Amino acid sequence: MAWIKVASAGQLQNGDVIGVHAGQAHIALYRDDDSYFATDNVCTHQYALLSDGYLEDGCIECPLHQATFDIRTGKAQCAPATKDLVTYPVKVEGDDVLVDA
């Protein structure tokens, strides 16, 4: 794995989520309480982009079937999702947001 710049810190406000690419990985990048998190961007239940979902209280809700996942751990929180998301380490250097993917 390698650290890859995926965004600028100013691109995300608290409570935002955007879809980014890091190499071959399609990633959802979150900013929550001034911290950044990254998970796979595709729901594990059925194909839907989590970056189109709703972020609240540290969880992302799938826009299609309302499955939710903890953005810190990737853990599936409720049905219909039963499989956890892959998570990625994130760091900020200056204004650059980097993901280890």
Side-chain angles (χ1 to χ4, degrees), residues 64-84:
L64 289 183
H65 299 103
Q66 291 71 51
T68 57
F69 301 88
D70 186 307
I71 63 170
R72 295 166 209 65
T73 64
K75 181 148 180 66
Q77 300 295 299
C78 67
T82 57
K83 183 178 176 190
D84 297 342

PDB file of all heavy atoms in Angstrom, residues 64-84:
ATOM      1  N   LEU A  64     -29.731   3.450  -1.127  1.00  0.00           N
ATOM      2  CA  LEU A  64     -30.749   2.569  -1.715  1.00  0.00           C
ATOM      3  C   LEU A  64     -31.587   1.808  -0.702  1.00  0.00           C
ATOM      4  O   LEU A  64     -32.800   1.732  -0.827  1.00  0.00           O
ATOM      5  CB  LEU A  64     -30.099   1.559  -2.671  1.00  0.00           C
ATOM      6  CG  LEU A  64     -29.570   2.109  -3.981  1.00  0.00           C
ATOM      7  CD1 LEU A  64     -29.035   0.980  -4.848  1.00  0.00           C
ATOM      8  CD2 LEU A  64     -30.655   2.874  -4.723  1.00  0.00           C
ATOM      9  N   HIS A  65     -30.945   1.203   0.291  1.00  0.00           N
ATOM     10  CA  HIS A  65     -31.681   0.307   1.182  1.00  0.00           C
ATOM     11  C   HIS A  65     -31.521   0.642   2.662  1.00  0.00           C
ATOM     12  O   HIS A  65     -31.853  -0.174   3.505  1.00  0.00           O
ATOM     13  CB  HIS A  65     -31.257  -1.145   0.928  1.00  0.00           C
ATOM     14  CG  HIS A  65     -31.543  -1.584  -0.466  1.00  0.00           C
ATOM     15  ND1 HIS A  65     -30.564  -1.682  -1.425  1.00  0.00           N
ATOM     16  CD2 HIS A  65     -32.698  -1.907  -1.074  1.00  0.00           C
ATOM     17  CE1 HIS A  65     -31.105  -2.075  -2.560  1.00  0.00           C
ATOM     18  NE2 HIS A  65     -32.403  -2.214  -2.381  1.00  0.00           N
ATOM     19  N   GLN A  66     -30.969   1.795   2.971  1.00  0.00           N
ATOM     20  CA  GLN A  66     -30.832   2.295   4.338  1.00  0.00           C
ATOM     21  C   GLN A  66     -29.969   1.439   5.262  1.00  0.00           C
ATOM     22  O   GLN A  66     -30.052   1.561   6.480  1.00  0.00           O
ATOM     23  CB  GLN A  66     -32.213   2.541   4.988  1.00  0.00           C
ATOM     24  CG  GLN A  66     -32.989   3.703   4.386  1.00  0.00           C
ATOM     25  CD  GLN A  66     -33.513   3.407   2.983  1.00  0.00           C
ATOM     26  OE1 GLN A  66     -34.137   2.388   2.757  1.00  0.00           O
ATOM     27  NE2 GLN A  66     -33.229   4.293   2.046  1.00  0.00           N
ATOM     28  N   ALA A  67     -29.141   0.578   4.700  1.00  0.00           N
ATOM     29  CA  ALA A  67     -28.136  -0.092   5.522  1.00  0.00           C
ATOM     30  C   ALA A  67     -27.182   0.981   6.036  1.00  0.00           C
ATOM     31  O   ALA A  67     -26.920   1.967   5.344  1.00  0.00           O
ATOM     32  CB  ALA A  67     -27.374  -1.122   4.695  1.00  0.00           C
ATOM     33  N   THR A  68     -26.673   0.843   7.240  1.00  0.00           N
ATOM     34  CA  THR A  68     -25.730   1.823   7.780  1.00  0.00           C
ATOM     35  C   THR A  68     -24.436   1.134   8.190  1.00  0.00           C
ATOM     36  O   THR A  68     -24.419  -0.041   8.562  1.00  0.00           O
ATOM     37  CB  THR A  68     -26.321   2.593   8.989  1.00  0.00           C
ATOM     38  OG1 THR A  68     -26.700   1.657  10.000  1.00  0.00           O
ATOM     39  CG2 THR A  68     -27.512   3.433   8.577  1.00  0.00           C
ATOM     40  N   PHE A  69     -23.354   1.921   8.123  1.00  0.00           N
ATOM     41  CA  PHE A  69     -22.019   1.447   8.456  1.00  0.00           C
ATOM     42  C   PHE A  69     -21.316   2.495   9.304  1.00  0.00           C
ATOM     43  O   PHE A  69     -21.445   3.693   9.042  1.00  0.00           O
ATOM     44  CB  PHE A  69     -21.185   1.240   7.184  1.00  0.00           C
ATOM     45  CG  PHE A  69     -21.776   0.267   6.208  1.00  0.00           C
ATOM     46  CD1 PHE A  69     -22.676   0.694   5.245  1.00  0.00           C
ATOM     47  CD2 PHE A  69     -21.426  -1.073   6.261  1.00  0.00           C
ATOM     48  CE1 PHE A  69     -23.216  -0.200   4.335  1.00  0.00           C
ATOM     49  CE2 PHE A  69     -21.963  -1.974   5.352  1.00  0.00           C
ATOM     50  CZ  PHE A  69     -22.863  -1.539   4.391  1.00  0.00           C
ATOM     51  N   ASP A  70     -20.557   2.049  10.287  1.00  0.00           N
ATOM     52  CA  ASP A  70     -19.714   2.937  11.087  1.00  0.00           C
ATOM     53  C   ASP A  70     -18.521   3.339  10.223  1.00  0.00           C
ATOM     54  O   ASP A  70     -17.791   2.472   9.734  1.00  0.00           O
ATOM     55  CB  ASP A  70     -19.245   2.212  12.341  1.00  0.00           C
ATOM     56  CG  ASP A  70     -18.491   3.106  13.299  1.00  0.00           C
ATOM     57  OD1 ASP A  70     -17.514   3.766  12.860  1.00  0.00           O
ATOM     58  OD2 ASP A  70     -18.853   3.152  14.475  1.00  0.00           O
ATOM     59  N   ILE A  71     -18.319   4.649  10.019  1.00  0.00           N
ATOM     60  CA  ILE A  71     -17.242   5.096   9.131  1.00  0.00           C
ATOM     61  C   ILE A  71     -15.861   4.920   9.756  1.00  0.00           C
ATOM     62  O   ILE A  71     -14.861   4.924   9.049  1.00  0.00           O
ATOM     63  CB  ILE A  71     -17.440   6.552   8.668  1.00  0.00           C
ATOM     64  CG1 ILE A  71     -17.394   7.524   9.849  1.00  0.00           C
ATOM     65  CG2 ILE A  71     -18.732   6.679   7.875  1.00  0.00           C
ATOM     66  CD1 ILE A  71     -17.350   8.991   9.451  1.00  0.00           C
ATOM     67  N   ARG A  72     -15.773   4.746  11.073  1.00  0.00           N
ATOM     68  CA  ARG A  72     -14.487   4.561  11.734  1.00  0.00           C
ATOM     69  C   ARG A  72     -13.979   3.126  11.582  1.00  0.00           C
ATOM     70  O   ARG A  72     -12.795   2.880  11.431  1.00  0.00           O
ATOM     71  CB  ARG A  72     -14.593   4.907  13.213  1.00  0.00           C
ATOM     72  CG  ARG A  72     -14.891   6.369  13.512  1.00  0.00           C
ATOM     73  CD  ARG A  72     -15.304   6.497  14.986  1.00  0.00           C
ATOM     74  NE  ARG A  72     -16.194   7.577  15.303  1.00  0.00           N
ATOM     75  CZ  ARG A  72     -17.448   7.740  14.893  1.00  0.00           C
ATOM     76  NH1 ARG A  72     -18.009   6.877  14.110  1.00  0.00           N
ATOM     77  NH2 ARG A  72     -18.169   8.772  15.263  1.00  0.00           N
ATOM     78  N   THR A  73     -14.918   2.169  11.676  1.00  0.00           N
ATOM     79  CA  THR A  73     -14.542   0.753  11.699  1.00  0.00           C
ATOM     80  C   THR A  73     -15.003  -0.013  10.459  1.00  0.00           C
ATOM     81  O   THR A  73     -14.527  -1.119  10.220  1.00  0.00           O
ATOM     82  CB  THR A  73     -15.166   0.058  12.923  1.00  0.00           C
ATOM     83  OG1 THR A  73     -16.599   0.094  12.786  1.00  0.00           O
ATOM     84  CG2 THR A  73     -14.740   0.734  14.219  1.00  0.00           C
ATOM     85  N   GLY A  74     -15.962   0.530   9.720  1.00  0.00           N
ATOM     86  CA  GLY A  74     -16.546  -0.161   8.579  1.00  0.00           C
ATOM     87  C   GLY A  74     -17.626  -1.148   8.969  1.00  0.00           C
ATOM     88  O   GLY A  74     -18.260  -1.762   8.109  1.00  0.00           O
ATOM     89  N   LYS A  75     -17.881  -1.313  10.259  1.00  0.00           N
ATOM     90  CA  LYS A  75     -18.832  -2.322  10.736  1.00  0.00           C
ATOM     91  C   LYS A  75     -20.247  -2.027  10.265  1.00  0.00           C
ATOM     92  O   LYS A  75     -20.749  -0.921  10.421  1.00  0.00           O
ATOM     93  CB  LYS A  75     -18.799  -2.393  12.252  1.00  0.00           C
ATOM     94  CG  LYS A  75     -19.744  -3.435  12.822  1.00  0.00           C
ATOM     95  CD  LYS A  75     -19.212  -4.039  14.076  1.00  0.00           C
ATOM     96  CE  LYS A  75     -20.141  -5.070  14.650  1.00  0.00           C
ATOM     97  NZ  LYS A  75     -20.300  -6.241  13.812  1.00  0.00           N
ATOM     98  N   ALA A  76     -20.895  -3.055   9.685  1.00  0.00           N
ATOM     99  CA  ALA A  76     -22.300  -2.952   9.301  1.00  0.00           C
ATOM    100  C   ALA A  76     -23.136  -2.812  10.569  1.00  0.00           C
ATOM    101  O   ALA A  76     -22.962  -3.571  11.520  1.00  0.00           O
ATOM    102  CB  ALA A  76     -22.716  -4.188   8.519  1.00  0.00           C
ATOM    103  N   GLN A  77     -24.028  -1.826  10.581  1.00  0.00           N
ATOM    104  CA  GLN A  77     -24.822  -1.525  11.766  1.00  0.00           C
ATOM    105  C   GLN A  77     -26.223  -2.131  11.744  1.00  0.00           C
ATOM    106  O   GLN A  77     -26.826  -2.288  12.791  1.00  0.00           O
ATOM    107  CB  GLN A  77     -24.939  -0.004  11.941  1.00  0.00           C
ATOM    108  CG  GLN A  77     -23.610   0.702  12.100  1.00  0.00           C
ATOM    109  CD  GLN A  77     -22.906   0.297  13.380  1.00  0.00           C
ATOM    110  OE1 GLN A  77     -23.414   0.511  14.464  1.00  0.00           O
ATOM    111  NE2 GLN A  77     -21.742  -0.310  13.244  1.00  0.00           N
ATOM    112  N   CYS A  78     -26.750  -2.385  10.548  1.00  0.00           N
ATOM    113  CA  CYS A  78     -28.108  -2.927  10.477  1.00  0.00           C
ATOM    114  C   CYS A  78     -28.348  -3.582   9.122  1.00  0.00           C
ATOM    115  O   CYS A  78     -27.615  -3.353   8.173  1.00  0.00           O
ATOM    116  CB  CYS A  78     -29.150  -1.839  10.738  1.00  0.00           C
ATOM    117  SG  CYS A  78     -29.230  -0.570   9.468  1.00  0.00           S
ATOM    118  N   ALA A  79     -29.407  -4.398   9.088  1.00  0.00           N
ATOM    119  CA  ALA A  79     -29.815  -5.052   7.848  1.00  0.00           C
ATOM    120  C   ALA A  79     -30.285  -3.976   6.866  1.00  0.00           C
ATOM    121  O   ALA A  79     -30.712  -2.900   7.292  1.00  0.00           O
ATOM    122  CB  ALA A  79     -30.934  -6.048   8.137  1.00  0.00           C
ATOM    123  N   PRO A  80     -30.158  -4.231   5.593  1.00  0.00           N
ATOM    124  CA  PRO A  80     -29.858  -5.531   5.010  1.00  0.00           C
ATOM    125  C   PRO A  80     -28.371  -5.847   4.899  1.00  0.00           C
ATOM    126  O   PRO A  80     -28.008  -6.932   4.456  1.00  0.00           O
ATOM    127  CB  PRO A  80     -30.508  -5.452   3.634  1.00  0.00           C
ATOM    128  CG  PRO A  80     -30.399  -4.015   3.263  1.00  0.00           C
ATOM    129  CD  PRO A  80     -30.571  -3.264   4.563  1.00  0.00           C
ATOM    130  N   ALA A  81     -27.491  -4.938   5.291  1.00  0.00           N
ATOM    131  CA  ALA A  81     -26.045  -5.208   5.207  1.00  0.00           C
ATOM    132  C   ALA A  81     -25.617  -6.127   6.343  1.00  0.00           C
ATOM    133  O   ALA A  81     -25.987  -5.903   7.501  1.00  0.00           O
ATOM    134  CB  ALA A  81     -25.260  -3.908   5.255  1.00  0.00           C
ATOM    135  N   THR A  82     -24.839  -7.130   6.008  1.00  0.00           N
ATOM    136  CA  THR A  82     -24.283  -8.033   7.011  1.00  0.00           C
ATOM    137  C   THR A  82     -22.760  -8.105   6.918  1.00  0.00           C
ATOM    138  O   THR A  82     -22.116  -8.591   7.832  1.00  0.00           O
ATOM    139  CB  THR A  82     -24.865  -9.459   6.863  1.00  0.00           C
ATOM    140  OG1 THR A  82     -24.598  -9.925   5.543  1.00  0.00           O
ATOM    141  CG2 THR A  82     -26.370  -9.459   7.125  1.00  0.00           C
ATOM    142  N   LYS A  83     -22.207  -7.619   5.813  1.00  0.00           N
ATOM    143  CA  LYS A  83     -20.760  -7.633   5.599  1.00  0.00           C
ATOM    144  C   LYS A  83     -20.207  -6.231   5.841  1.00  0.00           C
ATOM    145  O   LYS A  83     -20.764  -5.240   5.368  1.00  0.00           O
ATOM    146  CB  LYS A  83     -20.447  -8.077   4.169  1.00  0.00           C
ATOM    147  CG  LYS A  83     -18.980  -8.199   3.879  1.00  0.00           C
ATOM    148  CD  LYS A  83     -18.725  -8.690   2.467  1.00  0.00           C
ATOM    149  CE  LYS A  83     -17.225  -8.699   2.197  1.00  0.00           C
ATOM    150  NZ  LYS A  83     -16.954  -8.942   0.775  1.00  0.00           N
ATOM    151  N   ASP A  84     -19.101  -6.146   6.583  1.00  0.00           N
ATOM    152  CA  ASP A  84     -18.471  -4.864   6.909  1.00  0.00           C
ATOM    153  C   ASP A  84     -17.761  -4.280   5.694  1.00  0.00           C
ATOM    154  O   ASP A  84     -17.383  -5.002   4.768  1.00  0.00           O
ATOM    155  CB  ASP A  84     -17.458  -5.052   8.039  1.00  0.00           C
ATOM    156  CG  ASP A  84     -18.095  -5.527   9.333  1.00  0.00           C
ATOM    157  OD1 ASP A  84     -19.334  -5.401   9.478  1.00  0.00           O
ATOM    158  OD2 ASP A  84     -17.360  -6.048  10.187  1.00  0.00           O
TER     159      ASP A  84
END
